[in-house]
Amino acid sequence: MDGQDTSRIHVGPGPAPSPTWPGGARPRLLPDASPPPPEPLLLDADTLPVDCAATRGPLFRLALKTGALTVITLGFYRFWMKSRLRRWYWSSVRPGGLPLEYVGEPLEKLLGFLIAVALLAFYIGVVNLLLMFLSLSVFEGAAPAFLLSFVGVIPLWFYARYRARRYVLGRTRWRGLRFGMDPGAWGYAKTALGHWAATILTLGLLWPRMTFALEKYRTDRTWFGSLKLRQTGDWRMLVPAFTPLAVAGLATAGIGLLALFSAPEFAAGLILAVPAFLYAMIHYTVTAKRLMAEAKRAGDLRLSARPRPPRILRIYLFGGIAMVIVTAVLLSPLVIAFGVLQGELEARMIEDPILLAALGLVAYMISALIWATLTHVFITMPKWRHYAETLTLHGAESLPWVHQRHRDEATQAEGFAEALDVGAAI
Amino acid sequence: MRAATTITVGSHAPQFNGHGIWIDGQSGRPRRVALSFDDDAGEMVIDNRIAWPFQRIRRLRDQADPDRIVLRSADDRVGRLVLERPEELRVIETRARRLNRAPPPNVPLARIVAWAAAALASVALIIFVLVPVMADRLAGFLPLEGERALGEATFEQIRRALGDEFEGPLSTCDAPEGQAALIALQERLLPHADLAVPVTLRVLDHEMVNAFALPGGQIVVFRGLIDAAGTAEEVTAVLAHEMGHVAARDPTRIALRSAGSIGVLGLLLGDFAGGAVVLALTNQLIQADYTREAEAAADTYAHRVLLDADLPPEGIATFFERLAGDAGAPTALEQHFLSHPAMGDRIAAARAATPDGRSFAPALTEAEWAALQAICEE
């Protein structure tokens, strides 16, 4: 009977009386209205846990406000939106209690974008025109021109992504020290193209080799203050995490082909195969990140990382559901207003099709704004928080001997990524 | 006991003893520091070594945790002060009145303005000079088959852009009797047209009053134009004018231009405006904003072909006048047409090209004209 007593659920206010206290029930598991104590600032410890201060409410307000300004200014404010959101995200991550700082400025992003547009306008205008002419002259069709023009932009994507990362790292500080990245965007584009070619030719089997090589290329050029980072390890360490993905991928493709060409009844198998494939994808992405983070070195500094694939799956799953529900709730006034005014609106619209187009555009913009905001709140931020909170920094006693590096002017900022629309989620 | 109850006024008390962590921005060694005020100098003093004028203290903005307060001086790009006790900010706030202002930007505004001007000038140069000049040059070298392919692609692009999301691309009108009438008009004009490319005439089911030529000898007439025309001669005159553009390869230039500029505009406006760009450029294709010289040349060509085919060039004049004199309010498009400064000249030129007192053979029989007007009815 005594054993039952200890497991009884306590519903009243205040802490539950526990017969085994302090050895049994831990008080922090019980409802507690007092605010959590501020995270301690660890200045001299060797092992620094990373905590994350990101919460949904403030992010929702910031993302909605900056997103609305971006829509109202026809996209012009997006450089400010990006800078402000990054400041927020960066400041939420605090190894040993001291936050990261993002110091990128909106105006330099605008400048970089303008430079990229000026350079790309030449490429896209003149080169596309020549390609179109050649394609029409030689192939008597426009399709080869579109294909060639697309293929010509692919190296630029990788170039742009490297430049964007270099810019973002160059504007990230922790403990007052700048991160940085050596130039090498064209080399990155070359490496990426080579690995993509190898991956495609082996039907995806060399994917882990590419994941590792590209991460190594970036990491080996990254600096934290005067410390150079190194990616140790080997691509083969990613293979065990990749095996389920390869199996699920082959199974999905096999079942799909069977269902398509010979036995349609196999299509039911996709109900199992596709989710398995998606989960295997999450498992591989998360595990690869973890393994590669733990194999990074910077002097005596190293990381331990414990991100969990099931947690990321839950974020996608429940985050997605939450997004749909909240969007429906937020848009319902719009839908109701439309329902009430329908008769009135229809009469007006027949007179004035411009009104219809304008209303449609406004409704589209509002929906896109809400969706983008909720993506931050329910997907991007929870993932960010999970990755941050599961990190621990070791070897921090060496930090006092790290010194500052020069500011990377990075005049073009992330302009190419912005113009080509290959930026990261944040 | 006495000291504790002394009430002091002025700048000497109460003493502020704050707690901060100083990050010097030179090494990765944060230090605990004591904060105090020097009200005479108007400064916050950090560990008796660094003094920040109150007016220059700034707070980092957009921070995720409102209780983890990081301060900086507007004059120091790297040094940071983290408050160990967030409640001490209230005291600092009483002195540092410009805490929430933005720190000065790193990039000088003048440089941004200069680069912005350069970028916009370069884009303008490319769209308005380089691409048109290249397009005009290249159009002359394009082989016929290439021109036809370009025309076909452009035609499909226009059908899609003007079509309905639900009913698909704009449909072509091909009622058999109407087609026969169209071919009759074509046969009447072509022997005198002297064109290097075979001509294809098509009618699209759209209410816009418009006709245009596409590369490779395609001429497209909207149903709206046939509806608005009073006689078959007016439609014929419009067709002859479009043949003039075909003869001069004007549409090829326009289509090549749009191939060059469509991507540039998409780049500037970003993805969500992509659809609008395609629509705008399609509009440009069918409105075919040719130069005044190109229009005049096509008119002159049309006058000659029409006279040779025993048809009145006056059709151009009566058609434009009919649009202007229409009882119903003119649409925005017609307004645009009619307000065009060259329009009066074109009407006058068509009149002048028609010899007084000459009689012409009708373009179509009454029955054929009725069939052409019904070409879009199934």
Side-chain angles (χ1 to χ4, degrees), chain A residues 93-327:
Chain A
V93 178
R94 305 182 298 192
L98 286 174
L100 297 185
E101 186 184 347
Y102 178 73
V103 293
E105 291 175 11
L107 283 175
E108 67 187 5
K109 291 186 183 62
L110 173 64
L111 177 59
F113 174 70
L114 291 171
I115 295 173
V117 163
L119 296 175
L120 284 173
F122 181 80
Y123 174 78
I124 290 182
V126 175
V127 176
N128 276 4
L129 180 59
L130 286 173
L131 281 177
M132 182 60 83
F133 175 75
L134 285 178
S135 152
L136 287 170
S137 306
V138 180
F139 301 102
E140 294 167 14
F146 291 128
L147 185 71
L148 275 176
S149 157
F150 174 75
V151 168
V153 170
I154 293 176
L156 272 180
W157 285 345
F158 295 113
Y159 172 84
R161 293 198 70 139
Y162 189 91
R163 291 295 298 243
R165 189 174 168 118
R166 183 178 151 203
Y167 165 70
V168 169
L169 276 173
R171 296 293 179 266
T172 299
R173 292 187 204 155
W174 180 60
R175 287 196 170 206
L177 300 177
R178 298 183 179 104
F179 283 82
M181 206 167 174
D182 293 331
W186 285 120
Y188 182 71
K190 218 171 82 185
T191 311
L193 284 177
H195 278 282
W196 267 106
T199 305
I200 291 169
L201 287 178
T202 56
L203 299 175
L205 286 180
L206 284 184
W207 190 288
R209 187 166 159 268
M210 174 171 73
T211 313
F212 183 82
L214 294 185
E215 182 68 20
K216 183 170 171 62
Y217 188 98
R218 295 185 297 247
T219 305
D220 287 351
R221 282 161 185 74
T222 301
W223 295 78
F224 170 58
S226 53
L227 274 188
K228 190 166 192 178
L229 268 67
R230 272 183 311 124
Q231 179 70 59
T232 67
D234 189 78
W235 71 273
R236 289 178 202 90
M237 72 188 185
L238 306 182
V239 170
F242 182 72
T243 312
L245 179 61
V247 171
L250 285 176
T252 309
I255 294 172
L257 288 175
L258 260 179
L260 203 61
F261 292 113
S262 59
E265 64 272 15
F266 273 91
L270 288 176
I271 296 172
L272 276 177
V274 171
F277 176 73
L278 291 177
Y279 182 70
M281 183 82 97
I282 292 176
H283 174 78
Y284 173 66
T285 317
V286 176
T287 312
K289 273 198 170 74
R290 172 172 71 78
L291 291 170
M292 291 189 298
E294 298 203 317
K296 284 182 179 40
R297 297 285 181 275
D300 293 337
L301 290 176
R302 58 183 188 81
L303 294 164
S304 57
R306 297 283 175 271
R308 287 175 295 111
R311 178 64 186 275
I312 299 292
L313 172 72
R314 284 217 303 275
I315 288 171
Y316 280 121
L317 216 58
F318 294 113
I321 295 169
M323 279 172 73
V324 171
I325 293 172
V326 176
T327 306

Side-chain angles (χ1 to χ4, degrees), chain A residues 87 91 94 97 101 105 404, chain B residues 62 64-65 68 80 106:
Chain A
R87 282 207 289 259
S91 76
R94 305 182 298 192
E101 186 184 347
E105 291 175 11
Q404 186 63 290
Chain B
D62 301 315
D65 181 354
R68 180 64 28 101
R80 296 289 185 267
N106 249 324

Side-chain angles (χ1 to χ4, degrees), chain A residues 81-93:
Chain A
M81 174 177 78
K82 274 196 163 178
S83 303
R84 298 189 63 182
L85 281 170
R86 278 190 199 150
R87 282 207 289 259
W88 192 91
Y89 273 102
W90 266 231
S91 76
S92 74
V93 178

